[in-house]
Amino acid sequence: MSDHVQLGYQAALVSMQSPTYGRLWVSVKPHPGNTIACTQAEASILAAEACTHVRPRRRTELVQARLEAAVADEARAGTHLAKADETVQHEQAGVATLMAQVQQSREALAHLEQRYRAAQRPERPTSQLAQARERLGVMERRLARGQARLGRVPQACERLRVTLTALAQVATTWRERLARFEAENAATHAPIQAVIRLDAGFGTAENVAVLIEMGYDLYTKPYNHQVTTRLRRQLTDEHVWTRVGANAEMIAFADHTISGCPYTLDLALERFYTGETIRSSTLLHYGSEAVTTDLPAWFAFYNARQVIEAGIKEGQAIFQMHHLKVRAAPALWVQEQFAVFAANLVRWAAHWLDTQCPQVVVSTGTPSAAPVKEFVHVGAHTSAWVSLRPDGYQLVFTSQSAYAGHCLQTGPWALQLPLPLFESCLPEAA
């Protein structure tokens, strides 16, 4: 990468399903190779909204509740810090008093020792000198304990200050998000109802909460297996498994929460029979749909997201969006943009063939079912003759091509023939 050994790169791809053209890529953004995918969920959704100019209504009431909770946490931390500061002042005053008392006791002890030496009096266990020495020892031990406490309290205060700073930053983040969501709601005159189906790699508790607040109905799987383990521990003999697939069964748990997400979710425990073993996973849902009453439909709808996986494979195998052909960051950006344009161009061309061309080369059936791989790997490399006719251009595939006998002819359409380098069609001067 740029003549240095670095981590490579990844690309965050956003696509949409069009009823007219099928899958269209709307956004692509390169990232360093060590970028964790789950950190890019919100950014990808915002990129899709920026390209499509539509969004759902932001659930500002949820953000308002979290802001109030954050402000309350900040206020409690501030109260604890104020009490800790008072404790520090009290301990400092107590230590100062003890130090003065210790100094006075030492002076008194020294004065008594001098008197006893002058009078040659022995020090008995109950004498004034012994009692003064004992009082000094008690005060010194008390002073040592006070100094130890005084050393610990500032550390606790510092930890509270760090906590308070973090909570203040959290509250500021929620204020900014609430202001942004309110502005977006005010600017959105026709909010849409939208559903997000996320892979488990994006199903962190933070992403779940953020997308719920952004107004989306959510279908996903948890990021880690702890949710599945917890649900399996809750199973009793009263739970009944429902068949949802050839080798899959589910049990629903309504109104549950997961760690890190403050909102109640619909959960479903899945188990799959794979030979002699049984695998388990969990589905998460948030939205108005009563998914717990129709588990087969829930299972089928979430797994219909395989169309997204097909788009990822298309970008890897057909348009090669992730293969390193260049090394500089600007060149990577240009490469990705051209790959996105090529992927969309093929589908636009397929739609044009279905609607404009009287003799279709490849029967696409519907635009969404267009054989993109065949168009790219076969059609783009097929030889043909282009001729100019009175009623427009005509493209005739050669007899040795895969589409021998087919031709394309329609009204006037633009065509750029290859131009030899440094040659001109103008007549030479005499």
Side-chain angles (χ1 to χ4, degrees):
M1 303 293 294
S2 300
D3 297 326
H4 298 283
V5 178
Q6 297 182 13
L7 293 173
Y9 86 109
Q10 302 178 77
L13 302 172
V14 179
S15 67
M16 61 171 287
Q17 192 71 15
S18 167
T20 303
Y21 301 103
R23 181 185 302 108
L24 292 177
W25 297 101
V26 298
S27 173
V28 58
K29 183 178 180 180
H31 291 281
N34 61 347
T35 302
I36 301 175
C38 65
T39 63
Q40 301 303 314
E42 182 181 5
S44 298
I45 298 299
L46 292 175
E49 292 179 353
C51 293
T52 59
H53 303 288
V54 293
R55 65 170 69 95
R57 188 192 72 83
R58 306 305 194 202
R59 296 185 175 105
T60 53
E61 64 280 3
L62 302 181
V63 180
Q64 179 66 44
R66 297 191 73 174
L67 172 60
E68 293 173 357
V71 170
D73 291 341
E74 182 184 2
R76 283 192 293 269
T79 301
H80 293 162
L81 179 60
K83 291 181 179 179
D85 288 336
E86 292 178 1
T87 302
V88 170
Q89 296 175 1
H90 177 73
E91 292 292 342
Q92 288 175 342
V95 167
T97 301
L98 286 173
M99 291 179 66
Q101 292 175 353
V102 166
Q103 183 62 29
Q104 292 176 359
S105 296
R106 287 173 178 170
E107 293 176 356
L109 178 62
H111 180 67
L112 283 174
E113 288 176 342
Q114 185 177 4
R115 284 174 54 191
Y116 269 63
R117 285 194 299 269
Q120 296 183 353
R121 293 173 57 184
E123 181 180 344
R124 295 183 175 87
T126 57
S127 62
Q128 290 184 351
L129 180 59
Q131 292 177 0
R133 199 182 302 280
E134 183 178 355
R135 285 195 298 271
L136 177 60
V138 171
M139 290 184 181
E140 287 178 341
R141 290 192 294 273
R142 189 180 300 171
L143 176 61
R145 290 194 297 270
Q147 289 175 335
R149 288 195 304 272
L150 186 60
R152 291 192 299 268
V153 172
Q155 296 177 1
C157 289
E158 185 61 28
R159 289 194 296 269
L160 284 173
R161 286 190 178 87
V162 172
T163 301
L164 181 60
T165 302
L167 291 174
Q169 182 60 44
V170 170
T172 301
T173 300
W174 287 118
R175 289 190 186 93
E176 294 174 352
R177 178 169 294 181
L178 179 59
R180 176 165 61 88
F181 280 6
E182 289 175 343
E184 290 173 349
N185 281 345
T188 305
H189 303 293
I192 63 171
Q193 182 178 3
V195 175
I196 295 294
R197 289 180 292 190
L198 287 179
D199 181 78
F202 294 93
T204 62
E206 181 182 1
N207 285 341
V208 169
V210 167
L211 295 180
I212 289 173
E213 292 158 2
M214 291 177 68
Y216 289 93
D217 289 357
L218 186 64
Y219 291 79
T220 185
K221 289 187 175 183
Y223 185 75
N224 58 53
H225 203 65
Q226 295 178 358
V227 178
T228 301
T229 302
R230 180 166 60 89
L231 289 181
R232 291 178 63 181
R233 292 173 180 171
Q234 296 179 10
L235 288 179
T236 64
D237 295 337
E238 298 178 355
H239 291 96
V240 179
W241 290 94
T242 300
R243 176 75 65 175
V244 295
N247 67 331
E249 296 176 336
M250 288 173 58
I251 293 179
F253 298 84
D255 298 331
H256 271 55
T257 59
I258 61 175
S259 177
C261 178
Y263 309 117
T264 57
L265 307 169
D266 298 319
L267 275 63
L269 182 63
E270 300 177 298
R271 68 180 182 186
F272 302 90
Y273 299 91
T274 56
E276 297 180 356
T277 62
I278 299 178
R279 296 186 297 108
S280 300
S281 63
T282 303
L283 291 181
L284 307 181
H285 168 261
Y286 182 94
S288 57
E289 192 73 22
V291 293
T292 57
T293 61
D294 192 351
L295 297 184
W298 184 0
F299 179 82
F301 180 76
Y302 177 76
N303 287 284
R305 62 173 300 281
Q306 294 302 320
V307 66
I308 304 172
E309 300 294 342
I312 296 174
K313 292 181 180 179
E314 178 182 286
Q316 294 173 343
I318 300 177
F319 299 102
Q320 300 182 357
M321 304 179 75
H322 300 277
H323 292 260
L324 283 173
K325 302 179 179 66
V326 293
R327 295 183 297 176
L332 285 173
W333 186 88
V334 173
Q335 171 185 301
E336 297 290 358
Q337 298 301 319
F338 272 113
V340 167
F341 174 75
N344 292 338
L345 179 63
V346 171
R347 286 187 164 80
W348 296 332
H351 177 68
W352 178 82
L353 287 173
D354 282 338
T355 57
Q356 301 290 331
C357 182
Q359 186 177 2
V360 180
V361 178
V362 179
S363 178
T364 63
T366 61
S368 60
V372 175
K373 186 174 182 179
E374 183 176 350
F375 284 159
V376 174
H377 289 176
V378 179
H381 297 87
T382 299
S383 58
W385 291 101
V386 177
S387 59
L388 178 60
R389 301 170 60 89
D391 54 347
Y393 285 98
Q394 183 183 56
L395 185 146
V396 180
F397 290 95
T398 61
S399 58
Q400 294 81 18
S401 69
Y403 307 124
H406 292 284
C407 68
L408 299 179
Q409 182 175 354
T410 183
W413 35 275
L415 175 68
Q416 176 64 65
L417 295 174
L419 297 178
L421 189 62
F422 301 128
E423 291 189 12
S424 173
C425 61
L426 297 177
E428 296 181 359

